[in-house]
C-alpha cells in the first residue's frame, strides 16, 4: 500500500536533539584578557580619578548582562587603583579646645567656641571612611538606563555605567559613563567607505556607536588624506533631543557645526544633504529617528553580518499600523519602564491628561522588564504606551504581545482625529518630547462640548414627551469605524459616555419642579453611561469589563443570590494528617 508506514511517525523532538546547543568558537575576542587590556577597555584609571575627585565612598558598578563575566576582575582592578591614590589627609589633632573656660551647654562640649573649657571631639568628616564597591546586576529596566533603584538599595553615592547608554538625564545620582573601547578593523572600514562613496565630493557624516566612538577621528583624518573634502564627524554629548541624538557635528578642525532643525526659517547645515556612515549596528530607535533626517544611512557591521544601506520604510510602516490600531482603543495602559529619567513623573501626568482629553480611560502599570506574559494578564487593556528613555520605549519584537505597544510620540498621533492625523515620517521614541496639553485648548474644547450639550439638551426638551431621553453627545456624534477591520466601534471614548450621566440626572431633577410639564409614561431609552460600573462614584471601564466579560467572578458575588447551605465541620489537624468530621477518621497526605 502506498500509505503503509514503515516506521512510527515523528510526533516529538528526537532524543538526539534534546541536549544539543550551539558551541561558540573561541577566538581572540573571547580569550581571557590581561589586566592591562581589561584596564584599557573599562578605563580603570579615568574612573578611579573621577571617583577620587568626587570624594565618593560607596560606588555602584552597573554592567550589562554580557559584561558581567568581567565584573569581578574590574572590581579588583578598580579597588587596587583607588587604593594607590592618595587618601584625604585627616586632621592632625583629634580634639579641639574651647577658648573660654566657662561652663555652658550643661557641661557638655558643643564644639569650638562653646565656652565649656573641655576638649571637643573631632568632627566625623575628618575620619576617612573605607570605599565600598558594589556590582549592580540584573537591572530593573533597560540596560541602557542608569539603574538608580538598584543603586539606592546599597546607598551608593555614584553609579559607574558600563557599555552602551542612552545618556538620558538622571534624577538623583551622579553618573560616570564608561562606554568601553572595542577594536575596529580600520582597513575594512576604509575599504567599505570607498566602495560605497567613490565620489570624492560626497557629503558624508562619520558616526559610530558609543563603544567605537574613539575611532571616528582617526577615520576622518585617513579619509581626508585620501582626497575626501566634504566629510564631517560626530562627538558624544548629553543631548537626546538633538537632530542626531547625543551627538554634535564637528568639522576637521573640531569646531562644532550648527545643524538646521528642518524649518524654513532655521539656519545651519541641512542634514538631508548628507549621508551617514555608521560604524557598528545602532539601536533601532536611532535608525528610525535618523531615517527622516538624513539622505541615507550606511551601516558598517563590526560583526559577521554584511554591511549595507539601511532603509527604515518597512519598519516605519509597521509602526504606523500599530498606532492606527489604537485610534479606536477605549482603555489605554501606561507602562512605566523607567524610574531614573529625570522627567518621567511629569511625562506620566501629561500622558494621562492627553488620554483623558480624548475621552479615553488610562491605567498606570509598573511591571519592570516587559514581556508578553505580563501584559497578557490585563485583557481589558486595548493598547499600551511605554514611558521610558528614547531607546527603551520602542518594543522591537512585539509580534508576541497580545495588544499593541507604542511610544508616547505615536500615542499623540493615535489620539488625534482622522482629519488632523498627519505623519510626515518623523519619529521619536522617548518621553523627552512629551509636552503637556495646552490649557487653552482644553478649556476651549470643554466650552465647546458644553455648548453642544446645552444646545442638544434644549432640542431634547422641545421634543415630544414620548421621544425619550437620549444621550445628546453620543447620538449626535458621527459613527466611528476601525480602519483595519472596517467595523463600527462604539466604545472608543468611554469617559465621554460617562460624562453625559450627570447631565441626564440633572435634567431629570429639573423635570420634577412644579413648573415642569408632566413626565410621559411611555418607554424611554436609558443612557448607556448609566449602565457602566463605577468605583467610588467614578465610572470605571475596567470594572465594567470585569463585570460583563470576565468568566470568573471570585468566591462569591454580589450580583447573584446564593442559596443557604448547612454548616459542616471541615478538616482538622496538621498538614501531615487531617481528621475529617467528628468520627476522627485520619487521612495521611501523600
Amino acid at each position: 500500500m502506498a500509505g503503509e508506514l514503515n516506521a512510527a511517525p515523528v510526533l516529538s523532538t528526537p532524543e538526539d536533539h534534546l541536549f544539543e546547543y550551539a558551541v561558540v568558537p573561541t577566538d581572540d575576542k573571547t580569550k581571557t584578557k590581561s589586566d592591562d587590556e581589561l584596564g584599557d577597555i573599562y578605563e580603570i584609571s579615568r574612573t578611579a580619578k573621577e571617583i577620587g575627585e568626587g570624594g565618593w565612598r560607596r560606588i555602584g558598578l552597573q554592567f550589562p548582562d554580557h559584561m558581567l563575566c568581567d565584573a569581578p576582575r574590574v572590581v579588583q582592578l578598580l579597588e587596587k587603583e583607588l587604593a594607590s591614590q592618595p587618601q584625604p589627609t585627616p586632621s592632625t589633632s583629634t580634639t579641639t579646645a574651647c577658648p573660654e573656660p566657662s561652663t555652658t551647654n550643661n557641661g557638655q562640649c558643643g564644639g569650638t567656641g562653646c565656652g565649656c573649657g573641655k576638649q571637643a571631639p573631632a568632627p566625623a568628616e575628618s575620619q576617612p571612611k573605607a570605599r565600598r564597591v558594589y556590582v549592580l546586576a540584573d537591572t530593573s529596566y533597560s540596560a541602557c538606563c542608569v539603574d538608580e533603584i538598584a543603586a539606592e538599595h546599597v546607598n551608593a553615592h555614584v553609579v559607574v555605567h558600563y557599555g552602551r547608554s542612552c545618556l538620558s538625564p538622571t534624577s538623583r545620582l551622579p553618573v560616570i559613563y564608561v562606554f568601553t573601547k572595542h577594536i575596529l578593523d580600520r582597513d575594512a572600514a576604509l575599504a567599505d567607505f570607498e566602495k560605497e562613496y567613490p565620489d570624492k565630493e560626497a557629503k558624508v557624516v562619520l558616526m559610530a556607536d558609543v563603544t567605537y566612538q574613539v575611532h571616528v577621528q582617526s577615520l576622518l583624518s585617513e579619509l581626508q588624506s585620501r582626497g575626501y573634502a566634504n566629510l564631517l564627524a560626530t562627538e558624544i554629548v548629553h543631548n537626546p533631543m538633538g537632530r542626531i541624538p547625543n551627538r554634535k557635528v564637528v568639522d576637521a578642525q573640531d569646531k562644532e557645526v550648527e545643524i538646521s532643525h528642518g524649518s524654513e526659517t532655521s539656519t545651519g547645515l541641512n542634514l538631508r544633504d548628507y549621508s551617514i556612515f555608521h560604524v557598528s549596528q545602532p539601536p533601532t530607535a536611532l535608525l528610525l529617528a535618523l531615517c527622516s533626517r538624513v539622505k541615507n544611512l550606511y551601516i558598517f557591521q563590526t560583526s559577521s553580518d554584511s554591511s549595507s544601506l539601511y532603509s527604515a520604510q518597512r519598519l516605519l510602516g509597521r509602526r504606523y499600523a500599530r498606532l492606527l490600531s489604537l485610534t479606536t482603543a477605549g482603555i489605554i495602559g501606561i507602562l512605566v519602564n523607567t524610574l531614573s529619567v529625570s522627567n518621567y513623573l511629569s511625562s506620566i501626568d501629561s500622558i494621562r491628561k492627553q488620554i483623558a482629553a480624548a475621552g479615553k480611560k488610562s491605567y498606570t502599570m509598573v511591571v519592570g522588564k516587559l514581556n508578553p506574559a505580563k501584559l497578557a494578564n490585563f485583557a481589558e487593556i486595548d493598547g499600551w504606551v511605554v514611558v521610558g528613555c528614547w531607546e527603551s520605549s520602542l518594543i522591537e519584537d512585539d509580534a508576541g504581545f497580545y495588544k499593541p505597544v507604542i511610544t508616547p510620540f505615536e500615542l499623540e498621533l493615535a489620539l488625534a482625529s482622522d482629519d488632523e492625523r498627519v505623519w510626515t515620517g518623523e519619529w521619536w521614541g522617548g518621553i523627552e518630547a512629551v509636552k503637556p496639553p495646552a490649557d487653552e485648548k482644553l478649556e476651549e474644547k470643554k466650552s465647546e462640548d458644553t455648548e453642544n450639550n446645552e444646545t442638544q439638551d434644549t432640542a431634547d426638551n422641545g421634543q415630544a414627551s414620548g421621544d425619550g431621553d437620549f444621550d445628546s453627545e453620543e447620538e449626535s456624534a458621527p459613527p466611528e469605524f476601525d480602519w483595519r477591520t472596517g467595523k463600527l466601534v462604539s466604545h472608543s471614548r468611554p469617559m465621554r459616555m460617562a460624562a453625559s450621566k450627570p447631565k441626564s440626572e440633572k435634567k431629570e431633577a429639573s423635570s420634577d419642579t412644579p413648573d415642569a410639564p408632566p413626565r410621559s409614561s411611555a418607554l424611554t431609552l436609558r443612557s448607556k453611561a448609566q449602565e457602566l460600573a463605577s468605583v467610588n462614584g467614578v465610572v470605571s471601564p475596567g470594572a465594567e469589563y470585569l463585570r460583563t466579560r470576565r468568566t470568573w467572578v471570585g468566591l462569591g458575588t454580589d450580583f447573584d443570590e446564593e442559596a443557604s447551605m448547612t454548616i459542616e465541620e471541615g478538616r482538622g489537624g496538621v498538614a501531615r494528617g487531617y481528621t475529617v468530621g467528628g468520627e476522627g477518621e485520619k487521612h495521611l497526605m501523600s
Side-chain angles (χ1 to χ4, degrees):
M1 295 177 61
E4 185 177 355
L5 294 176
N6 297 326
V10 178
L11 301 179
S12 62
T13 305
E15 294 182 0
D16 297 339
H17 298 167
L18 290 180
F19 299 102
E20 286 188 358
Y21 59 93
V23 179
V24 180
T26 304
D27 54 11
D28 294 337
K29 294 183 179 180
T30 58
K31 289 182 179 179
T32 303
K33 302 177 180 64
S34 64
D35 290 349
D36 293 338
E37 292 175 339
L38 210 63
D40 181 62
I41 293 174
Y42 289 93
E43 303 182 42
I44 300 297
S45 299
R46 179 179 71 86
T47 305
K49 181 181 178 181
E50 293 191 20
I51 292 174
E53 292 175 352
W56 298 302
R57 294 292 175 181
R58 303 176 69 88
I59 303 103
L61 307 183
Q62 179 180 341
F63 293 86
D65 293 341
H66 65 280
M67 292 184 182
L68 282 175
C69 56
D70 295 333
R73 295 183 60 197
V74 171
V75 171
Q76 294 176 356
L77 294 175
L78 183 59
E79 289 179 341
K80 182 179 179 181
E81 186 70 21
L82 290 172
S84 64
Q85 292 183 349
Q87 297 293 328
T89 304
S91 177
T92 57
S93 176
T94 58
T95 59
T96 305
C98 296
E100 299 181 3
S102 61
T103 57
T104 58
N105 197 22
N106 295 326
Q108 300 295 326
C109 177
T112 302
C114 72
C116 68
K118 296 183 179 181
Q119 300 297 324
E125 290 77 4
S126 64
Q127 304 297 333
K129 299 179 180 179
R131 289 191 176 99
R132 300 292 300 273
V133 179
Y134 302 89
V135 176
L136 309 180
D138 190 18
T139 55
S140 303
Y141 296 98
S142 302
C144 64
C145 298
V146 178
D147 193 353
E148 291 186 325
I149 304 302
E152 289 181 350
H153 289 169
V154 296
N155 295 324
H157 300 155
V158 64
V159 177
V160 182
H161 185 280
Y162 292 103
R164 291 206 67 264
S165 174
C166 58
L167 296 178
S168 298
T170 55
S171 56
R172 289 176 288 271
L173 294 177
V175 185
I176 299 175
Y177 291 99
V178 179
F179 303 124
T180 67
K181 299 178 182 179
H182 290 203
I183 300 175
L184 175 66
D185 188 350
R186 295 179 69 254
D187 294 336
L190 293 171
D192 269 24
F193 186 93
E194 291 182 325
K195 180 181 178 181
E196 182 63 27
Y197 305 104
D199 184 11
K200 301 295 183 180
E201 299 297 325
K203 296 182 178 181
V204 184
V205 177
L206 296 179
M207 187 177 174
D209 191 64
V210 292
T211 57
Y212 291 91
Q213 181 63 33
V214 294
H215 304 286
V216 172
Q217 286 297 332
S218 61
L219 290 176
L220 176 64
S221 301
E222 181 64 26
L223 289 171
Q224 285 180 337
S225 64
R226 299 187 182 187
Y228 288 91
N230 297 322
L231 298 183
L232 297 174
T234 56
E235 293 182 358
I236 295 178
V237 294
H238 290 230
N239 183 20
M241 288 300 297
R243 290 297 292 174
I244 301 180
N246 293 324
R247 300 292 192 281
K248 68 176 181 179
V249 180
V250 297
D251 56 15
Q253 290 75 31
D254 288 341
K255 294 182 179 179
E256 184 176 357
V257 179
E258 183 181 359
I259 303 297
S260 171
H261 291 281
S263 61
E264 298 179 356
T265 58
S266 61
T267 59
L269 181 71
N270 189 1
L271 283 178
R272 293 182 181 273
D273 298 333
Y274 281 76
S275 303
I276 285 186
F277 182 85
H278 196 282
V279 178
S280 186
Q281 180 68 30
T284 307
L286 178 61
L287 295 176
L288 290 176
L290 289 178
C291 66
S292 62
R293 304 179 184 181
V294 299
K295 183 179 180 181
N296 57 56
L297 181 65
Y298 182 86
I299 301 175
F300 171 72
Q301 298 287 359
T302 55
S303 60
S304 58
D305 298 334
S306 59
S307 305
S308 62
L309 278 172
Y310 182 83
S311 176
Q313 298 304 320
R314 289 188 61 186
L315 186 54
L316 278 176
R318 288 180 56 192
R319 301 310 307 172
Y320 190 69
R322 287 288 185 272
L323 72 89
L324 282 181
S325 63
L326 260 73
T327 56
T328 56
I331 305 176
I332 299 176
I334 302 175
L335 284 174
V336 182
N337 197 33
T338 180
L339 297 178
S340 302
V341 180
S342 58
N343 64 326
Y344 80 96
L345 287 176
S346 60
S347 299
I348 293 175
D349 185 60
S350 299
I351 292 175
R352 286 174 179 168
K353 292 180 180 178
Q354 292 177 6
I355 296 174
K360 303 176 185 294
K361 179 66 176 179
S362 65
Y363 292 95
T364 304
M365 312 286 184
V366 182
V367 295
K369 293 182 179 179
L370 305 181
N371 59 59
K374 288 182 180 179
L375 303 190
N377 291 321
F378 307 98
E380 60 272 21
I381 304 296
D382 297 325
W384 302 92
V385 56
V386 180
V387 176
C389 70
W390 65 278
E391 290 187 15
S392 63
S393 293
L394 174 63
I395 307 300
E396 301 179 38
D397 188 14
D398 58 350
F401 286 87
Y402 182 54
K403 296 295 176 63
V405 184
I406 64 175
T407 67
F409 171 81
E410 296 167 345
L411 176 68
E412 186 177 355
L413 290 175
L415 296 179
S417 59
D418 294 341
D419 54 347
E420 296 177 353
R421 188 184 305 112
V422 178
W423 195 359
T424 61
E426 288 281 344
W427 186 90
W428 186 246
I431 59 176
E432 293 83 2
V434 173
K435 298 178 180 179
D439 295 337
E440 295 79 4
K441 292 183 178 181
L442 288 178
E443 294 297 332
E444 181 180 353
K445 196 169 188 178
K446 288 181 180 179
S447 61
E448 182 179 352
D449 293 343
T450 303
E451 292 177 0
N452 293 338
N453 292 335
E454 291 178 354
T455 303
Q456 186 66 28
D457 290 344
T458 303
D460 291 341
N461 291 333
Q463 292 178 352
S465 59
D467 289 345
D469 182 14
F470 294 91
D471 186 357
S472 59
E473 183 177 359
E474 291 299 317
E475 293 296 332
S476 60
E480 189 171 2
F481 296 91
D482 190 337
W483 283 30
R484 300 172 299 120
T485 62
K487 296 181 179 179
L488 178 65
V489 179
S490 60
H491 57 277
S492 62
R493 304 179 189 275
M495 303 313 291
R496 287 192 179 179
M497 295 170 55
S500 63
K501 180 178 178 180
K503 299 182 181 65
S504 61
E505 292 178 351
K506 181 178 180 181
K507 186 168 63 175
E508 290 179 1
S510 62
S511 64
D512 293 337
T513 57
D515 298 335
R519 288 187 177 183
S520 173
S521 59
L523 295 177
T524 59
L525 180 64
R526 188 176 180 85
S527 174
K528 296 179 181 179
Q530 298 180 13
E531 301 176 358
L532 294 178
S534 61
V535 177
N536 294 330
V538 180
V539 173
S540 174
E544 178 66 19
Y545 181 94
L546 295 176
R547 189 184 72 175
T548 58
R549 300 182 62 181
R550 286 285 191 184
T551 57
W552 185 79
V553 294
L555 300 176
T557 173
D558 296 333
F559 299 102
D560 298 328
E561 294 185 1
E562 297 180 353
S564 300
M565 299 179 65
T566 305
I567 300 177
E568 299 179 357
E569 185 176 356
R571 290 179 177 179
V574 296
R576 64 184 300 269
Y578 291 106
T579 56
V580 181
E583 301 177 358
E585 183 182 353
K586 191 173 184 179
H587 294 261
L588 297 178
M589 304 300 293
S590 57

